[in-house]
PDB file of all heavy atoms in Angstrom:
ATOM      1  N   GLU A   6      -2.913 -18.705   2.386  1.00 77.00           N
ATOM      2  CA  GLU A   6      -2.808 -19.566   1.135  1.00 77.00           C
ATOM      3  C   GLU A   6      -2.745 -18.714  -0.164  1.00 77.00           C
ATOM      4  O   GLU A   6      -2.430 -19.233  -1.151  1.00 77.00           O
ATOM      5  CB  GLU A   6      -3.942 -20.697   1.065  1.00 77.00           C
ATOM      6  CG  GLU A   6      -5.356 -20.113   0.846  1.00 77.00           C
ATOM      7  CD  GLU A   6      -6.042 -19.641   2.086  1.00 77.00           C
ATOM      8  OE1 GLU A   6      -5.624 -19.895   3.284  1.00 77.00           O
ATOM      9  OE2 GLU A   6      -7.175 -19.084   1.949  1.00 77.00           O
ATOM     10  N   ASN A   7      -3.098 -17.411  -0.009  1.00 92.00           N
ATOM     11  CA  ASN A   7      -3.037 -16.539  -1.182  1.00 92.00           C
ATOM     12  C   ASN A   7      -1.747 -15.912  -1.322  1.00 92.00           C
ATOM     13  O   ASN A   7      -1.534 -15.060  -2.254  1.00 92.00           O
ATOM     14  CB  ASN A   7      -4.164 -15.539  -1.087  1.00 92.00           C
ATOM     15  CG  ASN A   7      -5.447 -16.192  -1.151  1.00 92.00           C
ATOM     16  OD1 ASN A   7      -5.729 -17.178  -1.762  1.00 92.00           O
ATOM     17  ND2 ASN A   7      -6.413 -15.548  -0.450  1.00 92.00           N
ATOM     18  N   PHE A  15       8.930  -8.682  -3.085  1.00 98.00           N
ATOM     19  CA  PHE A  15       8.380  -7.336  -3.290  1.00 98.00           C
ATOM     20  C   PHE A  15       8.186  -6.610  -1.985  1.00 98.00           C
ATOM     21  O   PHE A  15       8.397  -5.454  -1.885  1.00 98.00           O
ATOM     22  CB  PHE A  15       7.116  -7.443  -4.179  1.00 98.00           C
ATOM     23  CG  PHE A  15       7.406  -7.783  -5.595  1.00 98.00           C
ATOM     24  CD1 PHE A  15       6.597  -8.802  -6.214  1.00 98.00           C
ATOM     25  CD2 PHE A  15       8.380  -7.187  -6.289  1.00 98.00           C
ATOM     26  CE1 PHE A  15       6.873  -9.025  -7.582  1.00 98.00           C
ATOM     27  CE2 PHE A  15       8.654  -7.459  -7.674  1.00 98.00           C
ATOM     28  CZ  PHE A  15       7.840  -8.371  -8.245  1.00 98.00           C
ATOM     29  N   ILE A  20       9.956  -2.490   2.057  1.00 98.00           N
ATOM     30  CA  ILE A  20      10.561  -2.078   3.424  1.00 98.00           C
ATOM     31  C   ILE A  20      11.863  -1.352   3.092  1.00 98.00           C
ATOM     32  O   ILE A  20      12.181  -0.316   3.786  1.00 98.00           O
ATOM     33  CB  ILE A  20      10.709  -3.373   4.280  1.00 98.00           C
ATOM     34  CG1 ILE A  20       9.337  -3.865   4.644  1.00 98.00           C
ATOM     35  CG2 ILE A  20      11.512  -3.095   5.536  1.00 98.00           C
ATOM     36  CD1 ILE A  20       9.323  -5.350   5.207  1.00 98.00           C
ATOM     37  N   GLU A  21      12.679  -1.759   2.259  1.00 98.00           N
ATOM     38  CA  GLU A  21      13.906  -0.993   1.802  1.00 98.00           C
ATOM     39  C   GLU A  21      13.520   0.385   1.356  1.00 98.00           C
ATOM     40  O   GLU A  21      14.200   1.321   1.832  1.00 98.00           O
ATOM     41  CB  GLU A  21      14.639  -1.700   0.662  1.00 98.00           C
ATOM     42  CG  GLU A  21      15.302  -3.044   1.053  1.00 98.00           C
ATOM     43  CD  GLU A  21      15.804  -3.759  -0.171  1.00 98.00           C
ATOM     44  OE1 GLU A  21      15.754  -3.209  -1.311  1.00 98.00           O
ATOM     45  OE2 GLU A  21      16.346  -4.841  -0.006  1.00 98.00           O
ATOM     46  N   GLU A  25      14.654   4.028   2.786  1.00 96.00           N
ATOM     47  CA  GLU A  25      15.239   5.092   1.841  1.00 96.00           C
ATOM     48  C   GLU A  25      14.484   6.345   2.045  1.00 96.00           C
ATOM     49  O   GLU A  25      15.134   7.527   2.129  1.00 96.00           O
ATOM     50  CB  GLU A  25      15.134   4.678   0.322  1.00 96.00           C
ATOM     51  CG  GLU A  25      16.128   3.642  -0.057  1.00 96.00           C
ATOM     52  CD  GLU A  25      15.952   3.246  -1.514  1.00 96.00           C
ATOM     53  OE1 GLU A  25      15.671   4.044  -2.314  1.00 96.00           O
ATOM     54  OE2 GLU A  25      16.216   2.013  -1.833  1.00 96.00           O
ATOM     55  N   VAL A  27      13.020   7.353   4.857  1.00 94.00           N
ATOM     56  CA  VAL A  27      13.451   7.887   6.128  1.00 94.00           C
ATOM     57  C   VAL A  27      14.839   8.580   5.994  1.00 94.00           C
ATOM     58  O   VAL A  27      15.048   9.705   6.492  1.00 94.00           O
ATOM     59  CB  VAL A  27      13.578   6.805   7.175  1.00 94.00           C
ATOM     60  CG1 VAL A  27      14.227   7.332   8.436  1.00 94.00           C
ATOM     61  CG2 VAL A  27      12.088   6.309   7.551  1.00 94.00           C
ATOM     62  N   VAL A  38       4.363  -1.417  -7.540  1.00 98.00           N
ATOM     63  CA  VAL A  38       3.333  -2.080  -8.329  1.00 98.00           C
ATOM     64  C   VAL A  38       4.022  -3.128  -9.184  1.00 98.00           C
ATOM     65  O   VAL A  38       5.118  -2.869  -9.720  1.00 98.00           O
ATOM     66  CB  VAL A  38       2.607  -1.096  -9.176  1.00 98.00           C
ATOM     67  CG1 VAL A  38       1.594  -1.893 -10.094  1.00 98.00           C
ATOM     68  CG2 VAL A  38       1.846  -0.042  -8.400  1.00 98.00           C
ATOM     69  N   LYS A  40       3.194  -6.763 -11.682  1.00 98.00           N
ATOM     70  CA  LYS A  40       2.298  -7.651 -12.522  1.00 98.00           C
ATOM     71  C   LYS A  40       2.986  -9.010 -12.343  1.00 98.00           C
ATOM     72  O   LYS A  40       4.016  -9.384 -12.869  1.00 98.00           O
ATOM     73  CB  LYS A  40       2.252  -7.144 -13.915  1.00 98.00           C
ATOM     74  CG  LYS A  40       1.513  -8.100 -14.856  1.00 98.00           C
ATOM     75  CD  LYS A  40       0.008  -7.760 -14.846  1.00 98.00           C
ATOM     76  CE  LYS A  40      -0.696  -8.682 -15.814  1.00 98.00           C
ATOM     77  NZ  LYS A  40      -1.876  -8.245 -16.335  1.00 98.00           N
ATOM     78  N   LEU A  44       8.281  -6.447 -11.611  1.00 98.00           N
ATOM     79  CA  LEU A  44       8.330  -5.128 -11.030  1.00 98.00           C
ATOM     80  C   LEU A  44       7.841  -4.170 -12.199  1.00 98.00           C
ATOM     81  O   LEU A  44       8.373  -4.168 -13.218  1.00 98.00           O
ATOM     82  CB  LEU A  44       9.668  -4.710 -10.465  1.00 98.00           C
ATOM     83  CG  LEU A  44       9.675  -3.310  -9.890  1.00 98.00           C
ATOM     84  CD1 LEU A  44       8.803  -3.044  -8.768  1.00 98.00           C
ATOM     85  CD2 LEU A  44      11.126  -2.960  -9.577  1.00 98.00           C
ATOM     86  N   GLY A  48       7.627   3.619  -5.649  1.00 97.00           N
ATOM     87  CA  GLY A  48       7.371   4.932  -5.081  1.00 97.00           C
ATOM     88  C   GLY A  48       7.849   5.104  -3.661  1.00 97.00           C
ATOM     89  O   GLY A  48       7.726   4.202  -2.842  1.00 97.00           O
ATOM     90  N   GLN A  53       6.858  15.433   2.290  1.00 84.00           N
ATOM     91  CA  GLN A  53       7.592  16.688   2.741  1.00 84.00           C
ATOM     92  C   GLN A  53       7.436  17.825   1.712  1.00 84.00           C
ATOM     93  O   GLN A  53       7.309  18.998   2.033  1.00 84.00           O
ATOM     94  CB  GLN A  53       9.049  16.339   3.096  1.00 84.00           C
ATOM     95  CG  GLN A  53       9.289  15.424   4.279  1.00 84.00           C
ATOM     96  CD  GLN A  53       9.311  16.223   5.591  1.00 84.00           C
ATOM     97  OE1 GLN A  53       9.165  17.358   5.632  1.00 84.00           O
ATOM     98  NE2 GLN A  53       9.590  15.413   6.645  1.00 84.00           N
ATOM     99  N   HIS A  66       1.083   6.251 -10.017  1.00 98.00           N
ATOM    100  CA  HIS A  66       1.305   7.229 -11.169  1.00 98.00           C
ATOM    101  C   HIS A  66       2.477   6.672 -12.060  1.00 98.00           C
ATOM    102  O   HIS A  66       2.361   6.754 -13.272  1.00 98.00           O
ATOM    103  CB  HIS A  66       1.638   8.584 -10.666  1.00 98.00           C
ATOM    104  CG  HIS A  66       0.436   9.404 -10.202  1.00 98.00           C
ATOM    105  ND1 HIS A  66      -0.846   9.319 -10.699  1.00 98.00           N
ATOM    106  CD2 HIS A  66       0.386  10.194  -9.037  1.00 98.00           C
ATOM    107  CE1 HIS A  66      -1.640  10.013  -9.940  1.00 98.00           C
ATOM    108  NE2 HIS A  66      -0.984  10.640  -8.961  1.00 98.00           N
ATOM    109  N   GLN A  70       2.345   5.552 -16.114  1.00 98.00           N
ATOM    110  CA  GLN A  70       3.295   5.844 -17.086  1.00 98.00           C
ATOM    111  C   GLN A  70       3.855   4.656 -17.865  1.00 98.00           C
ATOM    112  O   GLN A  70       4.058   4.717 -19.079  1.00 98.00           O
ATOM    113  CB  GLN A  70       4.357   6.775 -16.550  1.00 98.00           C
ATOM    114  CG  GLN A  70       3.879   8.154 -16.210  1.00 98.00           C
ATOM    115  CD  GLN A  70       4.894   9.004 -15.726  1.00 98.00           C
ATOM    116  OE1 GLN A  70       5.787   8.696 -15.028  1.00 98.00           O
ATOM    117  NE2 GLN A  70       4.784  10.362 -16.122  1.00 98.00           N
ATOM    118  N   ASP A  76      -5.791   1.617 -16.165  1.00 97.00           N
ATOM    119  CA  ASP A  76      -6.442   0.300 -15.818  1.00 97.00           C
ATOM    120  C   ASP A  76      -5.313  -0.632 -15.443  1.00 97.00           C
ATOM    121  O   ASP A  76      -4.589  -1.204 -16.347  1.00 97.00           O
ATOM    122  CB  ASP A  76      -7.330  -0.216 -16.978  1.00 97.00           C
ATOM    123  CG  ASP A  76      -8.041  -1.502 -16.575  1.00 97.00           C
ATOM    124  OD1 ASP A  76      -7.679  -2.111 -15.604  1.00 97.00           O
ATOM    125  OD2 ASP A  76      -8.988  -1.783 -17.384  1.00 97.00           O
ATOM    126  N   MET A  91      -7.120   8.224   1.038  1.00 97.00           N
ATOM    127  CA  MET A  91      -6.817   8.798  -0.193  1.00 97.00           C
ATOM    128  C   MET A  91      -6.186   7.720  -1.164  1.00 97.00           C
ATOM    129  O   MET A  91      -6.561   7.603  -2.236  1.00 97.00           O
ATOM    130  CB  MET A  91      -5.827   9.863  -0.033  1.00 97.00           C
ATOM    131  CG  MET A  91      -5.318  10.548  -1.299  1.00 97.00           C
ATOM    132  SD  MET A  91      -4.158  11.872  -1.162  1.00 97.00           S
ATOM    133  CE  MET A  91      -2.745  10.983  -0.572  1.00 97.00           C
ATOM    134  N   PRO A 109      -0.619  -2.719   9.600  1.00 96.00           N
ATOM    135  CA  PRO A 109      -1.838  -2.125   9.618  1.00 96.00           C
ATOM    136  C   PRO A 109      -1.965  -0.687  10.161  1.00 96.00           C
ATOM    137  O   PRO A 109      -0.991  -0.291  10.775  1.00 96.00           O
ATOM    138  CB  PRO A 109      -2.758  -3.021  10.594  1.00 96.00           C
ATOM    139  CG  PRO A 109      -1.709  -3.984  11.144  1.00 96.00           C
ATOM    140  CD  PRO A 109      -0.430  -3.781  10.481  1.00 96.00           C
ATOM    141  N   PRO A 111      -4.445   1.343  12.230  1.00 91.00           N
ATOM    142  CA  PRO A 111      -5.719   1.257  12.859  1.00 91.00           C
ATOM    143  C   PRO A 111      -6.381   2.648  12.944  1.00 91.00           C
ATOM    144  O   PRO A 111      -7.649   2.766  13.224  1.00 91.00           O
ATOM    145  CB  PRO A 111      -5.397   0.692  14.247  1.00 91.00           C
ATOM    146  CG  PRO A 111      -4.031   0.823  14.414  1.00 91.00           C
ATOM    147  CD  PRO A 111      -3.378   0.837  13.073  1.00 91.00           C
ATOM    148  N   LEU A 122     -11.282  -0.278   0.698  1.00 98.00           N
ATOM    149  CA  LEU A 122     -10.726  -1.334  -0.160  1.00 98.00           C
ATOM    150  C   LEU A 122     -11.728  -2.448  -0.440  1.00 98.00           C
ATOM    151  O   LEU A 122     -11.707  -3.129  -1.502  1.00 98.00           O
ATOM    152  CB  LEU A 122      -9.367  -1.892   0.281  1.00 98.00           C
ATOM    153  CG  LEU A 122      -8.256  -0.936   0.199  1.00 98.00           C
ATOM    154  CD1 LEU A 122      -6.932  -1.518   0.794  1.00 98.00           C
ATOM    155  CD2 LEU A 122      -8.088  -0.434  -1.235  1.00 98.00           C
ATOM    156  N   PHE A 130     -19.995   2.115  -9.707  1.00 93.00           N
ATOM    157  CA  PHE A 130     -19.716   3.338 -10.408  1.00 93.00           C
ATOM    158  C   PHE A 130     -18.619   3.013 -11.452  1.00 93.00           C
ATOM    159  O   PHE A 130     -17.637   3.751 -11.522  1.00 93.00           O
ATOM    160  CB  PHE A 130     -19.192   4.382  -9.425  1.00 93.00           C
ATOM    161  CG  PHE A 130     -20.301   4.718  -8.365  1.00 93.00           C
ATOM    162  CD1 PHE A 130     -20.149   4.399  -7.087  1.00 93.00           C
ATOM    163  CD2 PHE A 130     -21.416   5.397  -8.804  1.00 93.00           C
ATOM    164  CE1 PHE A 130     -21.165   4.655  -6.193  1.00 93.00           C
ATOM    165  CE2 PHE A 130     -22.399   5.794  -7.894  1.00 93.00           C
ATOM    166  CZ  PHE A 130     -22.286   5.410  -6.564  1.00 93.00           C
ATOM    167  N   SER A 136     -13.941  -3.542  -8.757  1.00 94.00           N
ATOM    168  CA  SER A 136     -14.389  -4.521  -7.778  1.00 94.00           C
ATOM    169  C   SER A 136     -13.357  -4.421  -6.667  1.00 94.00           C
ATOM    170  O   SER A 136     -12.161  -4.042  -6.960  1.00 94.00           O
ATOM    171  CB  SER A 136     -14.631  -5.844  -8.292  1.00 94.00           C
ATOM    172  OG  SER A 136     -15.630  -5.918  -9.209  1.00 94.00           O
ATOM    173  N   VAL A 140      -7.043  -8.402  -0.529  1.00 98.00           N
ATOM    174  CA  VAL A 140      -6.196  -7.673   0.403  1.00 98.00           C
ATOM    175  C   VAL A 140      -5.559  -8.755   1.359  1.00 98.00           C
ATOM    176  O   VAL A 140      -6.253  -9.451   1.936  1.00 98.00           O
ATOM    177  CB  VAL A 140      -6.974  -6.685   1.210  1.00 98.00           C
ATOM    178  CG1 VAL A 140      -6.112  -5.962   2.180  1.00 98.00           C
ATOM    179  CG2 VAL A 140      -7.612  -5.592   0.259  1.00 98.00           C
ATOM    180  N   GLU A 151      10.235  -2.544  12.292  1.00 94.00           N
ATOM    181  CA  GLU A 151      11.660  -2.158  12.654  1.00 94.00           C
ATOM    182  C   GLU A 151      12.018  -0.768  12.146  1.00 94.00           C
ATOM    183  O   GLU A 151      12.578   0.044  12.790  1.00 94.00           O
ATOM    184  CB  GLU A 151      12.566  -3.230  12.164  1.00 94.00           C
ATOM    185  CG  GLU A 151      12.622  -4.539  12.986  1.00 94.00           C
ATOM    186  CD  GLU A 151      13.713  -5.551  12.457  1.00 94.00           C
ATOM    187  OE1 GLU A 151      14.689  -5.103  11.897  1.00 94.00           O
ATOM    188  OE2 GLU A 151      13.371  -6.762  12.627  1.00 94.00           O
ATOM    189  N   TRP A 159       4.678   5.971  15.657  1.00 76.00           N
ATOM    190  CA  TRP A 159       4.429   4.962  16.526  1.00 76.00           C
ATOM    191  C   TRP A 159       3.053   4.311  16.292  1.00 76.00           C
ATOM    192  O   TRP A 159       2.742   3.251  16.678  1.00 76.00           O
ATOM    193  CB  TRP A 159       4.470   5.430  18.021  1.00 76.00           C
ATOM    194  CG  TRP A 159       3.574   6.547  18.204  1.00 76.00           C
ATOM    195  CD1 TRP A 159       3.755   7.788  18.167  1.00 76.00           C
ATOM    196  CD2 TRP A 159       2.144   6.432  18.556  1.00 76.00           C
ATOM    197  NE1 TRP A 159       2.583   8.591  18.407  1.00 76.00           N
ATOM    198  CE2 TRP A 159       1.606   7.682  18.687  1.00 76.00           C
ATOM    199  CE3 TRP A 159       1.288   5.390  18.865  1.00 76.00           C
ATOM    200  CZ2 TRP A 159       0.300   7.936  19.033  1.00 76.00           C
ATOM    201  CZ3 TRP A 159      -0.021   5.588  19.079  1.00 76.00           C
ATOM    202  CH2 TRP A 159      -0.532   6.951  19.258  1.00 76.00           C
ATOM    203  N   ASN A 167      -1.126  -0.769  22.514  1.00 41.00           N
ATOM    204  CA  ASN A 167      -0.466  -1.123  23.763  1.00 41.00           C
ATOM    205  C   ASN A 167       0.830  -0.337  23.901  1.00 41.00           C
ATOM    206  O   ASN A 167       1.446  -0.437  24.927  1.00 41.00           O
ATOM    207  CB  ASN A 167      -0.056  -2.652  23.737  1.00 41.00           C
ATOM    208  CG  ASN A 167      -1.284  -3.558  23.715  1.00 41.00           C
ATOM    209  OD1 ASN A 167      -2.372  -3.230  24.170  1.00 41.00           O
ATOM    210  ND2 ASN A 167      -1.156  -4.740  23.030  1.00 41.00           N
ATOM    211  N   GLU A 168       1.154   0.395  22.895  1.00 43.00           N
ATOM    212  CA  GLU A 168       2.499   1.107  22.980  1.00 43.00           C
ATOM    213  C   GLU A 168       2.367   2.521  23.491  1.00 43.00           C
ATOM    214  O   GLU A 168       3.430   3.156  23.971  1.00 43.00           O
ATOM    215  CB  GLU A 168       3.061   1.240  21.580  1.00 43.00           C
ATOM    216  CG  GLU A 168       3.552  -0.177  21.006  1.00 43.00           C
ATOM    217  CD  GLU A 168       4.081  -0.018  19.651  1.00 43.00           C
ATOM    218  OE1 GLU A 168       4.421   1.071  19.102  1.00 43.00           O
ATOM    219  OE2 GLU A 168       4.208  -1.146  19.040  1.00 43.00           O
TER     220      GLU A 168
END
Side-chain angles (χ1 to χ4, degrees):
E6 68 273 356
N7 295 328
F15 288 134
I20 294 167
E21 289 173 5
E25 286 179 35
V27 170
V38 175
K40 174 85 178 209
L44 175 65
Q53 292 274 2
H66 287 321
Q70 288 183 321
D76 185 346
M91 175 184 72
L122 290 177
F130 300 108
S136 295
V140 177
E151 286 179 28
W159 58 268
N167 299 330
E168 292 179 13

